[in-house]
Amino acid sequence: MTSFPVFFLWRLIMSLNYRSLNQITLVGRIGQDAALKQTQSGASFATFSVATQTLLKKQDGTWDHPTTWHSCVMWGKRAETLASHLKKGTTVIVTGSISYREGTAKDGSKQRYVDINVDDVQLLADASSSKSERSASAQRPAAPRQAQTAPAELQDGDYDF
């Protein structure tokens, strides 16, 4: 996917009379191996987490690197194809939209969850990965992109993070 400058994207959105955009791009590391699951109706999905860091300067002049964890969900054939490649520690670029759902926490309280509904994942070669691993990932064909959404019949317990 080619990146457009933000200005041109904004002009495109305004020319189509859209007044909002729900899109997020994360660059970070996979926090746990992706778990491939299925809903009761048989729809495949993969769940994984991505860690991102921000540089913050404290009042005493030192730098802090707080980590933010993002829960990600990928649907359909793309999830089936990429789940085996999404391993802990792999650096990725994740593009998708933010979705909210309500559920019940383990202690019985109502909880609101924020998920990233993944449209695209790009695996990046890490500095620590070997040359052969990088060449193998470069030769791997990309899965076709399809915007996929969660099936309407999802229940609260279908996927947990």
Side-chain angles (χ1 to χ4, degrees):
M1 181 174 142
T2 306
S3 297
F4 291 106
V6 174
F7 174 75
F8 293 112
L9 183 60
W10 177 251
R11 289 195 56 178
L12 174 65
I13 292 167
M14 290 296 108
S15 69
L16 298 173
N17 290 325
Y18 290 107
R19 298 293 181 216
S20 64
L21 175 67
N22 181 1
Q23 181 177 348
I24 186 167
T25 301
L26 302 171
V27 178
R29 292 191 181 268
I30 301 287
Q32 61 188 12
D33 291 355
L36 185 61
K37 302 176 185 178
Q38 287 190 337
T39 63
Q40 292 174 350
S41 64
S44 298
F45 66 98
T47 60
F48 58 96
S49 59
V50 174
T52 58
Q53 289 188 326
T54 307
L55 261 176
L56 296 176
K57 190 171 186 179
K58 296 181 182 178
Q59 287 184 345
D60 63 2
T62 61
W63 291 93
D64 191 16
H65 306 277
T67 301
T68 303
W69 290 95
H70 308 273
S71 299
C72 299
V73 181
M74 187 177 0
W75 295 94
K77 277 289 203 194
R78 191 156 182 82
E80 294 171 10
T81 305
L82 290 176
S84 62
H85 300 289
L86 299 174
K87 300 292 183 189
K88 181 177 180 175
T90 304
T91 304
V92 292
I93 300 174
V94 174
T95 306
S97 58
I98 299 173
S99 63
Y100 301 92
R101 62 185 170 89
E102 290 187 7
T104 305
K106 293 178 182 178
D107 64 359
S109 63
K110 281 193 172 185
Q111 183 99 19
R112 186 168 181 174
Y113 298 97
V114 179
D115 297 324
I116 306 302
N117 199 12
V118 177
D119 293 329
D120 190 30
V121 175
Q122 295 178 18
L123 305 175
L124 300 179
D126 296 324
S128 62
S129 65
S130 69
K131 189 175 185 178
S132 62
E133 289 175 352
R134 280 181 273 187
S135 64
S137 67
Q139 294 172 359
R140 185 179 313 121
R145 289 193 60 211
Q146 295 178 354
Q148 298 179 354
T149 58
E153 69 274 354
L154 275 182
Q155 301 296 318
D156 286 340
D158 279 344
Y159 57 98
D160 296 319
F161 291 87

